[in-house]
Structures are given as C-alpha cells and as structure tokens.
Amino acid sequence: MAPGANIGETTAIFEAVHGSAPGIAGEGIANPLALLLAACLMLDHVGHAGRVDRIRQSIEKVFREDSVRTPDLGGKASTLEFSQAITNRVAA
C-alpha cells in the first residue's frame, strides 16, 4: 500500500513502491491500492485535490464500512472485486 512520487523541477513520476508484482499477474489477487494511491499523489500534484479527497474517502469506506479487502490485507476479495468496491463508492 506504498505509493511513490519522484518530483523534479519539470517532471514527476508516480508509481507503486513495490513495483508491478509480475509474480502474481493474472491471478486476481493483487492489491491495486498502491497504484491508486500513487494516482492520488499525481492528482494532488496537478491540482485536483477535490477528486483526491473523494477517492481517499471511498477507499476508507471500502475498508471500514464494506470490509472489502484483498488476501494480503486479510480479506478474500479479488483484485477486480476490490477495485469495483472502490469504483462503486467513488461513483456514489
């Protein structure tokens, strides 16, 4: 769940600190949260704080209220199920 940002004077790169997890590609068990949080850092960087707030609040509700988690966080949700839960909250 660790997003990363490398911000220079003219360029910025946002990514998951742990990389792309190729060892579990296609298994549906990856936790997409680090990439989503990196996207939040990017949106913050380009001035879309309102959108970032909505995404972060949605993530919190998915954890606290919906109890949807991927296996690495003690849950049973697939990558798609976890992503869909967050998408549903953002869209609500």
Side-chain angles (χ1 to χ4, degrees), residues 4-84:
N6 294 293
I7 301 171
E9 291 183 30
T10 61
T11 306
I13 298 171
F14 303 87
E15 61 190 341
V17 171
H18 58 67
S20 62
I24 58 171
E27 294 182 31
I29 60 170
N31 181 340
L33 201 49
L35 288 174
L36 184 56
L37 292 173
C40 287
L41 293 174
M42 180 187 67
L43 288 169
D44 242 347
H45 181 69
V46 297
H48 292 285
R51 291 182 174 138
V52 171
D53 290 343
R54 181 152 188 138
I55 294 167
R56 288 185 176 142
Q57 289 168 6
S58 296
I59 291 168
E60 184 174 342
K61 287 179 181 179
V62 165
F63 279 120
R64 291 182 188 265
E65 297 174 24
D66 303 337
S67 297
V68 178
R69 293 177 176 82
T70 50
D72 63 312
L73 299 175
K76 296 181 181 179
S78 69
T79 305
L80 182 60
E81 291 166 336
F82 184 71
S83 300
Q84 191 62 58

